[in-house]
Amino acid sequence: MIEKTFVMVKPDGVQRSLIGEIVGRLERRGLKPVAIKMYRMPRDLAERFYAEHKGKQFYDGLINYITSGPVVCMVWEGEGAVAAVRSLMGKTNPAEAAPGTIRGDTALHPGKNVIHGSDAPASAQREINLLFNDYEVIDYSRIDAEWLKE
Ligand code: DAT
Ligand code: MG
């Protein structure tokens, strides 16, 4: 099924000049960008974004980290896009992420793991709605579409 997923280059990814690397890997996989913007997450939005983690031992650090600098917010579309991005990202703890994954190749600590990707279509929709207005998500077709499906 063609899905949309929310992807974010976290503040460490921006500071470490990994935006291009991450965008390049998603493009190369065949996914299509339908929204991209740089953004500084206000605290209240970060708290809504990570509401499911409230109360966990890493929560305060997570909110401080994600609001500490600009992030790049994106929506990517494609066949099974949610799972495709999750597999490209690798495990939450980069120490356990396989080599070849974004986290496995670029990060060392779960508190600085470079990228966010939605974990299910429903959370993707919730996250897209939190970060983007409808008119910011572009509906267009790309010339390679026929070469990315059977
Ligand atoms: P993911 O980002 O892989 O979906 P998650 O939703 O479980 O992982 O957690 C959200 C973020 O919270 C994660 O990217 C980094 C932070 N986090 C999770 N577990 C952590 C831990 N044990 N120590 C520090 N940060 C953690
Ligand atoms: Mg998550």
Side-chain angles (χ1 to χ4, degrees):
M1 217 194 3
I2 300 291
E3 294 172 339
K4 289 184 175 66
T5 190
F6 177 74
V7 180
M8 182 166 64
V9 181
K10 293 179 175 179
D12 51 330
V14 173
Q15 294 295 332
R16 295 177 53 219
S17 303
L18 293 170
I19 300 169
E21 171 79 25
I22 289 169
V23 168
R25 288 185 185 213
L26 301 181
E27 278 191 324
R28 214 181 320 146
R29 183 68 187 266
L31 296 166
K32 177 173 76 176
V34 294
I36 301 184
K37 69 178 172 189
M38 199 167 218
Y39 193 65
R40 178 81 184 251
M41 246 206 224
R43 206 167 180 87
D44 61 325
L45 183 60
E47 287 173 356
R48 279 197 284 158
F49 185 80
Y50 279 129
E52 64 176 301
H53 297 299
K54 194 170 171 63
K56 295 183 184 166
Q57 114 280 342
F58 60 81
Y59 176 78
D60 289 343
L62 177 62
I63 298 297
N64 288 337
Y65 159 54
I66 216 68
T67 58
S68 66
V71 295
V72 176
C73 297
M74 305 181 277
V75 182
W76 288 79
E77 188 181 283
E79 183 75 33
V82 171
V85 169
R86 291 294 293 189
S87 71
L88 285 170
M89 281 165 51
K91 288 192 179 173
T92 304
N93 183 352
E96 295 169 3
T101 64
I102 293 167
R103 286 166 170 170
D105 288 349
T106 66
L108 290 166
H109 192 279
K112 295 275 187 302
N113 63 3
V114 170
I115 180 172
H116 168 89
S118 309
D119 62 10
S123 36
Q125 199 51 60
R126 183 185 79 85
E127 292 165 359
I128 291 166
N129 290 342
L130 270 177
L131 271 303
F132 289 98
N133 293 310
D134 284 350
Y135 64 82
E136 292 179 298
V137 181
I138 313 295
D139 185 12
Y140 72 106
S141 48
R142 223 170 39 179
I143 198 165
D144 61 3
E146 289 304 312
W147 298 95
L148 287 164
K149 63 182 191 203
E150 200 169 69

